[in-house]
Amino acid sequence: MEKSPHSSRKATVVKTGRACLLTAACLLSTFASGSPIDIGSGDPTPPANAHAMTAAELYMLYRDKSWQWPDGAGRLQTDGRRFTAWSGSGDKVSWAVGRWTVSDHGRLCFKAQWHTVSGVYPNTTCFSHKKFGDIVYQRRQPSGDWYVFKHAKPADDEFSKLADQDLVSENLERIKAGLQPEPQIHSNRRTKS
């Protein structure tokens, strides 16, 4: 039994309609559940199914990078996990030397001695990291707000402030020299009374 041209056309329309409905359903379910790109551009709070980054992931993200800050930079070297930094200018300039550590709980910490004009102060600063797809969320510990550290697509975010070049050493040496206390001049001569 031969099909009529009308029934063949009707079968094609039905197949095309089903394909369109299937495509639309897939697109709607993607938008309804929220793709990583959509979530990363909106609410800065990580979704419930985001996972803490591993120590290996954090190490690969930060190793041998300089993190540019508005008034300074920190350098995370792989050799000995050395952390060096400088911040501020004038009377508020400071520099630091210490170590950086990572954990499998998504934690990056800088433990350093900060040198200022008024003395040396130990300080530990930590950040938590969570990942959802290609999006990395970060917050300062213990009570900072979450924000998107790295978007799924390149953006002007904190991740873009990680540089391969050393943005610390040259400034660090200059600042250290400027913060050195003036040498005390002691006289060995005794005065007669």
Side-chain angles (χ1 to χ4, degrees), residues 13-26:
V13 168
V14 168
K15 285 180 187 176
T16 304
R18 284 183 186 157
C20 287
L21 284 174
L22 180 60
T23 302
C26 288

Side-chain angles (χ1 to χ4, degrees), residues 139-155:
R139 77 180 183 116
R140 188 170 177 163
Q141 289 291 337
S143 58
D145 293 328
W146 286 105
Y147 58 92
V148 177
F149 178 79
K150 179 182 182 276
H151 290 83
K153 292 183 178 180

Side-chain angles (χ1 to χ4, degrees), residues 176-187:
K176 282 168 79 171
L179 283 180
Q180 295 299 323
E182 291 185 23
Q184 298 289 328
I185 300 173
H186 298 282
S187 174

Side-chain angles (χ1 to χ4, degrees), residues 1-140:
M1 188 166 177
E2 218 175 294
K3 290 186 178 181
S4 71
H6 178 67
S7 64
S8 285
R9 193 173 322 124
K10 186 176 178 183
T12 303
V13 168
V14 168
K15 285 180 187 176
T16 304
R18 284 183 186 157
C20 287
L21 284 174
L22 180 60
T23 302
C26 288
L27 287 172
L28 285 174
S29 68
T30 299
F31 291 127
S33 65
S35 71
I37 293 169
D38 294 335
I39 292 170
S41 61
D43 184 8
T45 304
N49 56 345
H51 71 276
M53 292 181 71
T54 66
E57 288 173 314
L58 289 170
Y59 177 79
M60 295 306 292
L61 185 69
Y62 288 103
R63 69 184 175 114
D64 287 329
K65 299 282 192 228
S66 291
W67 190 354
Q68 300 172 67
W69 305 325
D71 65 343
R75 180 84 176 149
L76 294 80
Q77 297 171 272
T78 56
D79 187 23
R81 296 273 179 97
R82 183 179 169 150
F83 171 73
T84 54
W86 68 272
S87 179
S89 61
D91 290 344
K92 296 186 181 196
V93 71
S94 61
W95 61 275
V97 174
R99 287 183 33 98
W100 62 284
T101 60
V102 290
S103 77
D104 281 329
H105 301 289
R107 198 170 174 130
L108 163 74
C109 294
F110 309 130
K111 185 175 184 175
Q113 299 287 321
W114 282 88
H115 301 254
T116 68
V117 292
S118 60
V120 179
Y121 305 94
N123 186 40
T124 301
T125 303
C126 296
F127 296 89
S128 288
H129 295 77
K130 287 191 174 187
K131 193 170 183 182
F132 182 73
D134 291 332
I135 300 170
V136 175
Y137 296 87
Q138 184 187 76
R139 77 180 183 116
R140 188 170 177 163

Side-chain angles (χ1 to χ4, degrees), residues 149-191:
F149 178 79
K150 179 182 182 276
H151 290 83
K153 292 183 178 180
D156 184 24
D157 50 23
E158 278 302 303
F159 177 74
S160 70
K161 296 174 185 169
L162 292 179
D164 290 329
Q165 64 270 29
D166 183 350
L167 302 175
V168 174
S169 296
E170 185 178 313
N171 288 321
L172 187 65
E173 293 309 314
R174 180 182 49 77
I175 292 167
K176 282 168 79 171
L179 283 180
Q180 295 299 323
E182 291 185 23
Q184 298 289 328
I185 300 173
H186 298 282
S187 174
N188 288 336
R189 295 179 16 191
R190 293 183 185 201
T191 58

